[in-house]
Amino acid sequence: MTGPASEVERNRDLWSLVNAQHTDQDAFRQWSAEDIRWGLFGIPEATIGVLGDVTGLDVLELGCGTAFFSSWLMRAGARPVAVDVTPAQLDTARRCQKQFGLQFPLIEADAADVPLPSARFDLWRRIGTGAAPPTLLPVTDASASFLDDLRQSA
């Protein structure tokens, strides 16, 4: 008999189901969007100007799902690295990379245990969960420290 599933396993199982029922079919539409959109209502980046110029920036996206946000970042001139714990989501992202001719690293890992140094990145993004909004922050000493603390708490 095995013990209860870990939070990471439950998260992976949930997002595998969500991918099968929704995000896999929706990925092409998301990847096809010409500009970055924010939140549930898809407000265009051009309208709110949250990002600014990302040309040449290294961006780490935690919890990337099908990596459509990373695809937008790449088209805007950034160098994204997309991380997700769910193999099914990353399989969808790989299919979209081929379909759209965009290549950037896709890494299967828990956001709390990313095998990359935080100092390598200019920005990092995590998807919101529950009531928490998505986060897009510059990698400063404070946010790099947060990423390191996140790793240590895992």
Side-chain angles (χ1 to χ4, degrees):
M1 177 182 275
T2 61
S6 73
E7 185 175 340
V8 171
E9 290 167 330
R10 287 191 306 271
N11 190 29
R12 184 181 299 122
D13 291 346
L14 171 65
W15 283 104
S16 293
L17 180 63
V18 170
N19 192 68
Q21 294 181 355
H22 175 69
T23 56
D24 184 68
Q25 296 89 347
D26 192 51
F28 181 84
R29 181 186 67 80
Q30 294 280 16
W31 275 67
S32 295
E34 293 190 18
D35 58 355
I36 293 172
R37 297 188 167 269
W38 293 98
L40 180 63
F41 299 105
I43 300 168
E45 165 62 19
T47 301
I48 58 176
V50 172
L51 268 179
D53 185 11
V54 296
T55 303
L57 297 182
D58 293 307
V59 183
L60 175 63
E61 184 183 11
L62 301 173
C64 69
T66 62
F68 63 85
F69 197 88
S70 285
S71 76
W72 293 339
L73 288 169
M74 186 170 198
R75 282 179 270 189
R79 292 181 299 268
V81 174
V83 177
D84 201 277
V85 73
T86 310
Q89 296 267 66
L90 294 173
D91 288 344
T92 298
R94 283 184 197 92
R95 190 181 72 245
C96 287
Q97 282 185 323
K98 288 179 186 174
Q99 203 166 8
F100 288 87
L102 296 174
Q103 292 296 314
F104 49 85
L106 296 169
I107 298 172
E108 183 182 335
D110 177 17
D113 192 22
V114 178
L116 300 167
S118 54
R120 173 180 171 218
F121 297 96
D122 302 304
L123 291 173
W124 62 277
R125 177 186 190 263
R126 73 159 173 85
I127 191 66
T129 56
T135 303
L136 181 68
L137 295 171
V139 174
T140 61
D141 289 342
S143 65
S145 176
F146 170 79
L147 289 171
D148 293 338
D149 290 346
L150 184 63
R151 287 186 188 109
Q152 290 172 7
S153 69

